[in-house]
Amino acid sequence: CLENTDPRMRGRGIQLLSQVLLQCYSLLQEKEVLHLVLFYENRLQDHHLVIPSVLQGLQALSMCEVLSPGLAVSVLKAIFQEVHVQSLLQLDRHTVYSIITNFMGSREEELKGLGADFTFGFIQMMDGEKDPRNLLVAFQIVHDLIAKNYVLGPFVEELFEVTSCYFPIDFTPPPNDPHGIQREDLILSLRAVLASTPQFAEFLLPLLIEKMDSDLQSAKLDSLQTLTACCAIYGQKELQEFLPSLWSSLRREVFQTASEKVEAECLAALHALSACLSRSVLSSDTEDLLDSFLSSILQDCRHHLCEPDMKLVWPSAKLLQAAAGASLRAYHRITRTVLPLLLEQYTKHPQSSQRRTILEMFLGFLELQQKWGLVEEDESTLLSLRASVCSVVFSALTDPSVQLQLVGIRALTVLGSLQGFLSLSDLELVVDHLIRLALHEDSQSSEAAMEAAGSLAPIYPKVFSGHMVPRLEAELQSERAEESSHDHCSLQQRCLQALAAVSTHTSIVKETVPVLLQHLRKVQKGSEAGNTQGMVSVCQSLHRVALQCQQDDDGCWYYHQTVVPCLLAMAVQAAMQESAHPLLGKALIEEEVLAAMVPVISAATTHLSPELAAQSVSHVVPLFLDGEVSFLPQNSFPCSFQPFEDGECFDTQRRLIALLMAFVCSLPCNVAIPQQERLLRELLALSCSCNCPFTATTAAKCFAGLVNKHPAGQQLDEILQLAVNRMEPSLVEGPRRMQALTLLLWVTKALVLRYHPLSSHLTDKLLSLLNDVELGPAAADGFSLLMAEPPDVLHKGCHADVRIMFRQRFFTSNVPKLVQGFHGAGPDVKANYLKGLSHVLNHLPKPVLVTELPTLLSLLLEALSCSDRVVQLSTLSCLQPLLLEAPQIMSLHVDTLVTKFLTLTSSPTMAVRIAALRCAHALTSLPAAVLLPYKARVIRALAKPLDDKKRLVRKEAVAARGEW
């Protein structure tokens, strides 16, 4: 074939040889490679039909490691001389680029020996390339030419022209493009070339300025992003000539654009320009370009800050802040002029709205100062204006406008973070303002003031513990006769919140925790009706403090050993008093208060070190098992504490098992619990025999929490068998079926989380209960408990054993059984299966749900017809995201979906109406062709909920109907 006179036959021969070489190039020897290269170079002069196969062979040879020196240069010279690359097909052009890429990777020094001829040869080869697949490779070659310092010689402008002609990229990939090349890939690849060398600056900057003035937003954005990228490698020399034009274009865009994207990119480019000029090292005879550039910015922007209508105030401030944020030198140059001007404008404008705008701009400059901290030197404008700045900020804090107060609080927080700016007298005034705002102002200002106190307290712990905490304590204890009871409770609640908010440093925590505990005792002794709510408020504040202490070991241990024994002592005291005197101190053992104490004890325990946790557990467990009260403060109790004893007189004491649960279920896994087997047996007995639902549930949760962390082995198997033996008879008949179901649910959850083999047996038991008329609805709701994350036990925060993807595993094992059970169930219990299914699906990760959707959708649609509102709500919340994530599948059922959703917009339950309207809204994400037949009907039907008596329903109806 190779000697055949017919070029087609010769081409086939060379093609076969080239395909063989592509398979075995790594096995060739040096002499063979030399022989083949000479042959293929010679073939480049052959008929044009042969050339593609020749190039394939050269591509194979370009990958050979045994290529003799000089052959790479020889091949490239032959290609440059003999092949008109742009007349070849796309694939063949790609082959040529691959040959060059291979040689650049392995024969760099040889290619550099060609000098500028290599650059020129490549320019000629690339000129006119149009295919995006080839352009990505060509752009990479150009980038490597520049980055690896190949000689460009006199061809810099030609190289720029041959790449910049594609700028800005205008490419839309065809639908179903198998190559997956996106416009963004080309943009970034070309930008890497254009911004790779300062030698392009004189050609590129005029092009960027021209494209910034384009009407196309994409061209503007591309130009601005490219300018930002260039500033990283340019110096003063490259920019000098173009700075006025660049500033003019950037200023115009920020002042006139309606696009936030364009504005953001303009500000980023200005920041980059200012940073680039700040980096330039000045010699004595060169002009300081940064100074003159910033002067022109100031000249064009400062007068807008003084205009009475304040129309261009924000754009001007943003430009100034973008330039100032680039370096400390730029910051000082701009703030020297701008900060005094803004302070002057603040005093000139009496209106709160205008003052707020000015203070927000001032705040922008303060936040920039945070980047560098406060520099104690002459050039810091802020230090020289200290008195005026404090005066303006304090005046904002006393203004009647809440919005101005909020900006003032933010400014105060930033000033406080600048170490050394505020004097001691200023700080005392800051504390006064924060207390007033936190206790007596609008709720927004109050929250912001508390947050500010929390931010500043670790910086100035002495000031806050010495001034703020005593003031808050005094407010908390004051009995204001003239105030109504409601106002007094509200003020007390704010004091408690403020004490918690400021507890962000261990020294302050040691001041605030005793105050909070003292207040809790006081509220316990009080006899007002509201003291349950008062106790809950104290517990919420204690919980916040606990969370803030968790990262500090000393603070965490101080908090734990102060708060946990105190709460336990108060609760034990109250439980015993309740046994002796039913009316005294009752609030503390209310379920609501105990439920509020649980997260306090839990948060105080989760972050303890194993050694300290072991020390604590050695006191707490004996307290509950043996009545060992010696470690509690004020431990002279009227009778013994025996929460696991039988008898009605111990009912109140049994409630405190909630506090035991909070403690033992939050311990790290490696902490041994004394008498654990006995404790588990007592909890098991209590959960099955107690008549009080609160106590039975907390005992079941505590049992489940311990079982979840229990090491695998015979002991665990025995205790689980004991639990199964207690549960199963109680589930069949008897007065305590509900308690047995609760225990079943929590133990099943504990085992499902850790993939224990018994979990499947217990889940099957739960599935069988769906057919039970009495327990079926509660068993169905139990599937929500199995899939959700409870707040108090069995989650990762309290060190539970939670295996990865347990929800997917549960779904795979049990949803087929739910579906099968539904089809075989009687009409009176079908709803239980639907409810259980919708709970499982609702907690499943959405990507998993989408893949299973085709098989489950008909059941979900059936669930919408169920009369149980929990089933309806759960199904609607499951369907809403699926409409957005799986439009193709949902489109097949659009008729049913439209009908069901519109029917449910008239449901008697508000939550169902809202969820149905959200689903009707989500339907609009389906393809328009699918929706158009239903448009008129849906718009008519959605007119009715526009008049719904509930505002939240009307709001959803407006959104949904507008979208349709």
Side-chain angles (χ1 to χ4, degrees), residues 442-485:
D442 176 88
S443 61
Q444 270 184 295
S445 298
S446 172
E447 277 176 37
M450 290 182 200
E451 200 177 315
S455 301
L456 295 175
I459 307 173
Y460 310 103
K462 284 185 180 173
V463 176
F464 278 84
S465 59
H467 289 81
M468 189 161 189
V469 177
R471 290 271 304 278
L472 290 170
E473 183 181 5
E475 285 282 357
L476 195 58
Q477 292 171 350
S478 68
E479 298 289 345
R480 301 195 177 196
E482 72 278 6
E483 286 187 23
S484 70
S485 169

Short mmCIF file of all heavy atoms in Angstrom, two decimals, residues 442-485:
data_model
loop_
_atom_site.label_atom_id
_atom_site.label_comp_id
_atom_site.label_asym_id
_atom_site.label_seq_id
_atom_site.Cartn_x
_atom_site.Cartn_y
_atom_site.Cartn_z
N ASP A 442 -36.68 49.31 70.98
CA ASP A 442 -37.34 48.38 70.06
C ASP A 442 -36.63 47.02 70.04
O ASP A 442 -35.42 46.94 70.28
CB ASP A 442 -37.28 49.02 68.66
CG ASP A 442 -37.85 48.13 67.58
OD1 ASP A 442 -39.05 48.20 67.36
OD2 ASP A 442 -37.07 47.35 66.98
N SER A 443 -37.39 45.94 69.75
CA SER A 443 -36.80 44.59 69.84
C SER A 443 -35.61 44.42 68.88
O SER A 443 -34.64 43.74 69.21
CB SER A 443 -37.86 43.53 69.54
OG SER A 443 -38.36 43.70 68.24
N GLN A 444 -35.67 45.05 67.69
CA GLN A 444 -34.53 44.94 66.75
C GLN A 444 -33.27 45.55 67.35
O GLN A 444 -32.20 44.96 67.33
CB GLN A 444 -34.87 45.69 65.45
CG GLN A 444 -35.54 44.84 64.39
CD GLN A 444 -35.73 45.67 63.13
OE1 GLN A 444 -36.48 46.64 63.12
NE2 GLN A 444 -35.06 45.31 62.06
N SER A 445 -33.43 46.77 67.92
CA SER A 445 -32.28 47.44 68.54
C SER A 445 -31.79 46.65 69.73
O SER A 445 -30.58 46.54 69.98
CB SER A 445 -32.66 48.85 68.99
OG SER A 445 -33.04 49.63 67.89
N SER A 446 -32.74 46.08 70.48
CA SER A 446 -32.37 45.32 71.67
C SER A 446 -31.51 44.11 71.28
O SER A 446 -30.45 43.87 71.87
CB SER A 446 -33.66 44.85 72.36
OG SER A 446 -33.36 43.96 73.40
N GLU A 447 -31.94 43.36 70.27
CA GLU A 447 -31.17 42.18 69.83
C GLU A 447 -29.79 42.59 69.33
O GLU A 447 -28.79 41.95 69.65
CB GLU A 447 -31.92 41.46 68.70
CG GLU A 447 -33.00 40.51 69.21
CD GLU A 447 -33.79 39.89 68.06
OE1 GLU A 447 -33.18 39.58 67.03
OE2 GLU A 447 -35.01 39.73 68.21
N ALA A 448 -29.75 43.68 68.54
CA ALA A 448 -28.46 44.13 67.98
C ALA A 448 -27.52 44.57 69.11
O ALA A 448 -26.31 44.30 69.06
CB ALA A 448 -28.70 45.27 67.00
N ALA A 449 -28.08 45.25 70.13
CA ALA A 449 -27.24 45.72 71.24
C ALA A 449 -26.67 44.54 72.02
O ALA A 449 -25.50 44.55 72.42
CB ALA A 449 -28.06 46.62 72.17
N MET A 450 -27.50 43.49 72.20
CA MET A 450 -27.01 42.31 72.92
C MET A 450 -25.90 41.62 72.13
O MET A 450 -24.90 41.16 72.69
CB MET A 450 -28.17 41.34 73.18
CG MET A 450 -29.16 41.85 74.21
SD MET A 450 -30.45 40.65 74.51
CE MET A 450 -31.72 41.67 75.23
N GLU A 451 -26.10 41.55 70.81
CA GLU A 451 -25.07 40.92 69.96
C GLU A 451 -23.77 41.71 70.03
O GLU A 451 -22.67 41.14 70.12
CB GLU A 451 -25.60 40.85 68.53
CG GLU A 451 -24.87 39.82 67.69
CD GLU A 451 -25.46 39.73 66.28
OE1 GLU A 451 -26.69 39.70 66.13
OE2 GLU A 451 -24.66 39.70 65.33
N ALA A 452 -23.90 43.06 70.01
CA ALA A 452 -22.71 43.91 70.09
C ALA A 452 -22.00 43.71 71.41
O ALA A 452 -20.77 43.63 71.48
CB ALA A 452 -23.12 45.38 69.92
N ALA A 453 -22.78 43.61 72.51
CA ALA A 453 -22.17 43.39 73.82
C ALA A 453 -21.40 42.07 73.82
O ALA A 453 -20.28 41.99 74.35
CB ALA A 453 -23.25 43.37 74.90
N GLY A 454 -21.98 41.03 73.19
CA GLY A 454 -21.30 39.74 73.11
C GLY A 454 -20.00 39.82 72.32
O GLY A 454 -19.02 39.14 72.63
N SER A 455 -19.97 40.67 71.27
CA SER A 455 -18.75 40.82 70.45
C SER A 455 -17.67 41.59 71.19
O SER A 455 -16.48 41.29 71.08
CB SER A 455 -19.07 41.57 69.15
OG SER A 455 -20.04 40.89 68.42
N LEU A 456 -18.08 42.61 71.96
CA LEU A 456 -17.08 43.49 72.60
C LEU A 456 -16.60 42.93 73.94
O LEU A 456 -15.50 43.25 74.37
CB LEU A 456 -17.69 44.89 72.81
CG LEU A 456 -18.03 45.66 71.52
CD1 LEU A 456 -18.73 46.97 71.85
CD2 LEU A 456 -16.77 45.95 70.70
N ALA A 457 -17.43 42.12 74.59
CA ALA A 457 -17.08 41.64 75.93
C ALA A 457 -15.73 40.91 75.98
O ALA A 457 -14.93 41.15 76.90
CB ALA A 457 -18.20 40.75 76.48
N PRO A 458 -15.41 40.00 75.01
CA PRO A 458 -14.09 39.33 75.11
C PRO A 458 -12.92 40.30 74.92
O PRO A 458 -11.81 40.01 75.36
CB PRO A 458 -14.13 38.31 73.95
CG PRO A 458 -15.55 38.20 73.54
CD PRO A 458 -16.20 39.49 73.88
N ILE A 459 -13.16 41.45 74.26
CA ILE A 459 -12.07 42.41 74.04
C ILE A 459 -11.85 43.25 75.31
O ILE A 459 -10.72 43.59 75.66
CB ILE A 459 -12.40 43.34 72.85
CG1 ILE A 459 -12.74 42.51 71.60
CG2 ILE A 459 -11.24 44.28 72.54
CD1 ILE A 459 -13.25 43.34 70.43
N TYR A 460 -12.94 43.56 76.02
CA TYR A 460 -12.86 44.40 77.23
C TYR A 460 -13.55 43.67 78.40
O TYR A 460 -14.55 44.17 78.95
CB TYR A 460 -13.53 45.75 77.00
CG TYR A 460 -13.09 46.46 75.75
CD1 TYR A 460 -13.89 46.47 74.61
CD2 TYR A 460 -11.86 47.13 75.69
CE1 TYR A 460 -13.48 47.12 73.45
CE2 TYR A 460 -11.44 47.78 74.54
CZ TYR A 460 -12.25 47.76 73.41
OH TYR A 460 -11.85 48.40 72.26
N PRO A 461 -13.05 42.49 78.81
CA PRO A 461 -13.78 41.72 79.83
C PRO A 461 -13.92 42.47 81.16
O PRO A 461 -14.96 42.38 81.81
CB PRO A 461 -12.94 40.45 80.00
CG PRO A 461 -11.62 40.73 79.36
CD PRO A 461 -11.85 41.77 78.33
N LYS A 462 -12.89 43.24 81.55
CA LYS A 462 -12.97 43.94 82.85
C LYS A 462 -14.08 44.99 82.85
O LYS A 462 -14.82 45.13 83.82
CB LYS A 462 -11.62 44.60 83.16
CG LYS A 462 -10.56 43.62 83.62
CD LYS A 462 -9.29 44.34 84.03
CE LYS A 462 -8.23 43.32 84.49
NZ LYS A 462 -6.94 43.97 84.74
N VAL A 463 -14.17 45.72 81.74
CA VAL A 463 -15.19 46.79 81.66
C VAL A 463 -16.58 46.17 81.74
O VAL A 463 -17.46 46.65 82.48
CB VAL A 463 -15.04 47.58 80.34
CG1 VAL A 463 -16.16 48.61 80.22
CG2 VAL A 463 -13.68 48.26 80.30
N PHE A 464 -16.80 45.08 81.00
CA PHE A 464 -18.14 44.51 80.95
C PHE A 464 -18.50 43.78 82.24
O PHE A 464 -19.63 43.85 82.71
CB PHE A 464 -18.27 43.58 79.73
CG PHE A 464 -18.57 44.33 78.46
CD1 PHE A 464 -17.56 44.91 77.72
CD2 PHE A 464 -19.88 44.51 78.03
CE1 PHE A 464 -17.82 45.63 76.57
CE2 PHE A 464 -20.16 45.23 76.88
CZ PHE A 464 -19.13 45.79 76.15
N SER A 465 -17.51 43.07 82.86
CA SER A 465 -17.85 42.40 84.11
C SER A 465 -17.98 43.41 85.25
O SER A 465 -18.77 43.22 86.17
CB SER A 465 -16.80 41.34 84.45
OG SER A 465 -15.53 41.93 84.57
N GLY A 466 -17.23 44.53 85.15
CA GLY A 466 -17.28 45.52 86.23
C GLY A 466 -18.43 46.49 86.12
O GLY A 466 -18.90 47.03 87.13
N HIS A 467 -18.90 46.77 84.88
CA HIS A 467 -19.95 47.79 84.72
C HIS A 467 -21.28 47.23 84.23
O HIS A 467 -22.34 47.60 84.73
CB HIS A 467 -19.47 48.88 83.75
CG HIS A 467 -18.41 49.75 84.31
ND1 HIS A 467 -17.08 49.38 84.34
CD2 HIS A 467 -18.47 50.97 84.90
CE1 HIS A 467 -16.37 50.35 84.91
NE2 HIS A 467 -17.18 51.32 85.26
N MET A 468 -21.22 46.34 83.25
CA MET A 468 -22.49 45.90 82.65
C MET A 468 -23.20 44.86 83.52
O MET A 468 -24.41 44.96 83.77
CB MET A 468 -22.24 45.32 81.25
CG MET A 468 -23.53 45.06 80.49
SD MET A 468 -23.23 44.93 78.72
CE MET A 468 -24.91 44.91 78.09
N VAL A 469 -22.45 43.87 84.02
CA VAL A 469 -23.09 42.78 84.78
C VAL A 469 -23.76 43.31 86.06
O VAL A 469 -24.94 43.00 86.30
CB VAL A 469 -22.08 41.64 85.08
CG1 VAL A 469 -22.72 40.56 85.94
CG2 VAL A 469 -21.56 41.05 83.77
N PRO A 470 -23.08 44.15 86.87
CA PRO A 470 -23.76 44.66 88.07
C PRO A 470 -25.03 45.47 87.74
O PRO A 470 -26.04 45.36 88.44
CB PRO A 470 -22.70 45.55 88.74
CG PRO A 470 -21.40 45.08 88.18
CD PRO A 470 -21.67 44.60 86.81
N ARG A 471 -24.97 46.26 86.66
CA ARG A 471 -26.15 47.06 86.27
C ARG A 471 -27.32 46.15 85.90
O ARG A 471 -28.47 46.38 86.27
CB ARG A 471 -25.80 47.95 85.08
CG ARG A 471 -24.83 49.09 85.39
CD ARG A 471 -25.57 50.36 85.83
NE ARG A 471 -26.55 50.77 84.83
CZ ARG A 471 -26.25 51.49 83.73
NH1 ARG A 471 -25.00 51.86 83.52
NH2 ARG A 471 -27.20 51.85 82.89
N LEU A 472 -27.01 45.10 85.13
CA LEU A 472 -28.08 44.17 84.72
C LEU A 472 -28.63 43.42 85.92
O LEU A 472 -29.84 43.18 86.03
CB LEU A 472 -27.55 43.19 83.67
CG LEU A 472 -27.24 43.78 82.29
CD1 LEU A 472 -26.49 42.77 81.42
CD2 LEU A 472 -28.53 44.19 81.58
N GLU A 473 -27.73 43.06 86.85
CA GLU A 473 -28.17 42.35 88.06
C GLU A 473 -29.12 43.23 88.87
O GLU A 473 -30.17 42.77 89.35
CB GLU A 473 -26.95 41.96 88.90
CG GLU A 473 -27.31 41.15 90.13
CD GLU A 473 -26.08 40.79 90.97
OE1 GLU A 473 -24.96 41.25 90.64
OE2 GLU A 473 -26.25 40.06 91.96
N ALA A 474 -28.77 44.52 88.98
CA ALA A 474 -29.62 45.45 89.73
C ALA A 474 -30.99 45.58 89.07
O ALA A 474 -32.03 45.58 89.74
CB ALA A 474 -28.93 46.82 89.82
N GLU A 475 -30.99 45.70 87.74
CA GLU A 475 -32.27 45.79 87.01
C GLU A 475 -33.12 44.54 87.23
O GLU A 475 -34.33 44.60 87.39
CB GLU A 475 -32.00 45.95 85.50
CG GLU A 475 -31.52 47.31 85.07
CD GLU A 475 -32.65 48.35 84.99
OE1 GLU A 475 -33.82 47.99 85.22
OE2 GLU A 475 -32.34 49.52 84.71
N LEU A 476 -32.44 43.39 87.26
CA LEU A 476 -33.15 42.11 87.40
C LEU A 476 -33.82 42.00 88.76
O LEU A 476 -34.93 41.47 88.89
CB LEU A 476 -32.13 40.97 87.22
CG LEU A 476 -32.64 39.56 86.98
CD1 LEU A 476 -33.51 39.51 85.74
CD2 LEU A 476 -31.49 38.58 86.83
N GLN A 477 -33.15 42.56 89.78
CA GLN A 477 -33.67 42.42 91.15
C GLN A 477 -34.65 43.53 91.52
O GLN A 477 -35.38 43.40 92.49
CB GLN A 477 -32.50 42.41 92.14
CG GLN A 477 -31.66 41.14 92.01
CD GLN A 477 -30.39 41.20 92.82
OE1 GLN A 477 -30.03 42.26 93.35
NE2 GLN A 477 -29.68 40.08 92.94
N SER A 478 -34.67 44.61 90.72
CA SER A 478 -35.52 45.75 91.10
C SER A 478 -36.98 45.37 90.97
O SER A 478 -37.41 44.81 89.97
CB SER A 478 -35.20 46.96 90.23
OG SER A 478 -35.61 46.69 88.91
N GLU A 479 -37.75 45.67 91.99
CA GLU A 479 -39.20 45.44 91.95
C GLU A 479 -39.84 46.80 91.66
O GLU A 479 -40.00 47.62 92.54
CB GLU A 479 -39.69 44.90 93.30
CG GLU A 479 -39.08 43.57 93.71
CD GLU A 479 -39.62 42.43 92.85
OE1 GLU A 479 -40.64 42.62 92.18
OE2 GLU A 479 -39.01 41.34 92.86
N ARG A 480 -40.18 47.04 90.43
CA ARG A 480 -40.70 48.36 90.06
C ARG A 480 -42.21 48.37 90.29
O ARG A 480 -42.96 47.82 89.49
CB ARG A 480 -40.39 48.67 88.61
CG ARG A 480 -38.89 48.65 88.37
CD ARG A 480 -38.55 49.30 87.07
NE ARG A 480 -37.09 49.33 86.91
CZ ARG A 480 -36.47 50.09 86.03
NH1 ARG A 480 -37.15 50.87 85.25
NH2 ARG A 480 -35.16 50.06 85.94
N ALA A 481 -42.62 49.03 91.35
CA ALA A 481 -44.03 49.00 91.73
C ALA A 481 -44.92 49.64 90.67
O ALA A 481 -46.03 49.18 90.41
CB ALA A 481 -44.20 49.72 93.06
N GLU A 482 -44.36 50.70 90.03
CA GLU A 482 -45.22 51.44 89.09
C GLU A 482 -45.44 50.69 87.78
O GLU A 482 -46.34 51.00 87.02
CB GLU A 482 -44.64 52.84 88.81
CG GLU A 482 -43.37 52.88 87.94
CD GLU A 482 -42.10 52.58 88.73
OE1 GLU A 482 -42.21 52.23 89.92
OE2 GLU A 482 -41.01 52.74 88.15
N GLU A 483 -44.59 49.69 87.49
CA GLU A 483 -44.72 48.97 86.21
C GLU A 483 -45.78 47.89 86.30
O GLU A 483 -45.95 47.25 87.34
CB GLU A 483 -43.38 48.32 85.83
CG GLU A 483 -42.36 49.31 85.36
CD GLU A 483 -41.11 48.61 84.85
OE1 GLU A 483 -41.21 47.45 84.47
OE2 GLU A 483 -40.06 49.27 84.82
N SER A 484 -46.49 47.68 85.22
CA SER A 484 -47.46 46.58 85.21
C SER A 484 -46.69 45.26 85.25
O SER A 484 -45.52 45.20 84.91
CB SER A 484 -48.30 46.64 83.94
OG SER A 484 -47.50 46.31 82.83
N SER A 485 -47.37 44.21 85.65
CA SER A 485 -46.73 42.89 85.78
C SER A 485 -46.13 42.45 84.45
O SER A 485 -45.03 41.92 84.39
CB SER A 485 -47.77 41.88 86.26
OG SER A 485 -47.27 40.59 86.16
#
